[in-house]
């Protein structure tokens, strides 16, 4: 299995986990104002959609995983996330839809580093249909 296939598998598994966790919680809880991004997250190179960071972890060596809940009334959060990335110079290379889960793969070279971003959404996500999951890696 090549690196790209593994990345897509990890993203789909992450989205499924988020959906599973959402199904386990029947009570709406107060959300914190936002989780902190890892110190080495490439904020300048990989812009995130506007909203509240629900979860964020990872390292440059292993890649980063970030979940963002979009602002209320922001429209289609996945389209907004993809637009944010393409406006920053990323190129879309693949779109996948399966079982209501949607994943878009984008890439860009910035500061002599190749960035791969998978951004996905699922209607059953813990943050609701207005949240997106990012999987970011560098080569």
């Amino acid at each position: 299995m090549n690196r790209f296939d593994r990345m897509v598998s990890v993203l789909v598994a992450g989205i499924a986990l988020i959906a599973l966790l959402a199904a386990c919680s029947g009570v709406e809880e107060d959300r914190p104002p936002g989780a902190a991004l890892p110190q080495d997250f490439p904020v300048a190179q990989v812009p995130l959609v506007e909203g509240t960071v629900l979860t964020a972890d990872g390292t440059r060596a292993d890649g980063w995983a970030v979940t963002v809940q979009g602002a209320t009334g922001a429209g289609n959060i996945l389209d907004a996330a993809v637009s944010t990335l393409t406006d920053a110079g990323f190129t879309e290379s693949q779109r996948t839809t399966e079982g209501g889960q949607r994943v878009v793969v984008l890439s860009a070279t910035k500061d002599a580093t190749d960035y791969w971003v998978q951004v996905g959404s699922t209607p059953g996500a813990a943050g609701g249909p207005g949240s997106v999951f990012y999987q970011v890696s560098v080569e």
Side-chain angles (χ1 to χ4, degrees):
M1 180 182 288
N2 68 32
R3 181 181 173 120
F4 176 77
D5 290 339
R6 278 185 277 151
M7 287 175 48
V8 170
S9 296
V10 167
L11 181 60
V12 170
I15 290 172
L17 177 61
I18 290 168
L20 178 64
L21 292 174
C24 293
S25 174
V27 177
E28 184 69 25
E29 297 178 15
D30 291 334
R31 288 186 172 71
L37 292 171
Q39 285 186 325
D40 64 347
F41 187 85
V43 176
Q45 294 80 11
V46 182
L48 302 175
V49 69
E50 284 189 42
T52 301
V53 176
L54 299 177
T55 62
D57 62 6
T59 63
R60 181 178 177 92
D62 296 326
W64 300 274
V66 178
T67 304
V68 177
Q69 182 178 25
T72 304
N76 184 312
I77 190 69
L78 181 61
D79 289 345
V82 171
S83 291
T84 299
L85 290 165
T86 56
D87 289 350
F90 279 79
T91 302
E92 182 178 327
S93 61
Q94 181 180 353
R95 265 184 197 255
T96 306
T97 301
E98 186 175 321
Q101 298 175 358
R102 299 177 307 150
V103 177
V104 180
V105 179
L106 304 102
S107 63
T109 301
K110 296 180 178 263
D111 303 323
T113 301
D114 293 329
Y115 291 89
W116 285 91
V117 178
Q118 296 177 53
V119 61
S121 68
T122 184
S131 64
V132 289
F133 178 86
Y134 292 84
Q135 184 69 39
V136 180
S137 63
V138 296
E139 289 183 1

